[in-house]
Amino acid sequence: MEHLNNQMMVEFDSISKNESFARVVVSAFVSRLNPTLEEIADIKTAVSEAVTNSIIHGYENGDGRIRIETHIVEDTVTVIVTDFGVGISDIEKAMEPMYTSKPELERSGMGFAFMEAFMDELFVESEVGKGTTITMRKVIRIDSVSQKEENSIYK
């Protein structure tokens, strides 16, 4: 079986145009696991929400850097999104569905709820004045054609 452990890291400016770049780069990296369209859509949505949170809340639309690390260990994808912005003073409150610290932006306050719904695990660490790290994990069902053939009694 091919070596399934792999990792990558990318860092970019905290501008909204880079949100789609982040989605594409992570989904391209994960594609070697042959995820379903639904699995890849889930990961893209979670990455979008995390990056958008960093831009809007972490840097308050100001200048900054966002780092994404993606690790693949066998069938598990871990995506770590880090910003070096203002941080979150009350993580528990920030993670409540519908809570938003910026109601004037007419955002839904569902970023963390979406990340939690679309990924298998979500961890948030933050320090005020130093930034926030969001770690998300998803297990990809590995049942690709090549593996089915590998296990076939007809080979």
Side-chain angles (χ1 to χ4, degrees), residues 43-62:
I43 291 169
K44 282 174 147 181
T45 300
V47 167
S48 287
E49 293 295 336
V51 169
T52 299
N53 271 6
S54 290
I55 294 167
I56 291 175
H57 301 289
Y59 293 115
E60 299 178 323
N61 290 310

Side-chain angles (χ1 to χ4, degrees), residues 9-10 12-13 18-19 31 46 55 69 85 102 104 114 121 131-135 137-139 142-143 145 153:
M9 183 169 59
V10 63
F12 49 88
D13 289 335
N18 284 337
E19 181 245 325
S31 68
I55 294 167
E69 296 172 63
K102 305 224 179 283
E104 70 279 7
F114 285 144
E121 291 182 288
T132 302
T133 298
I134 298 169
T135 303
R137 282 199 186 86
K138 186 165 194 73
V139 176
I142 299 188
D143 58 2
V145 173
I153 58 172

Side-chain angles (χ1 to χ4, degrees), residues 59-79:
Y59 293 115
E60 299 178 323
N61 290 310
D63 292 339
R65 305 282 291 165
I66 298 169
R67 179 185 305 141
I68 296 183
E69 296 172 63
T70 306
H71 305 267
I72 295 172
V73 178
E74 294 178 7
D75 61 350
T76 303
V77 176
T78 302
V79 180

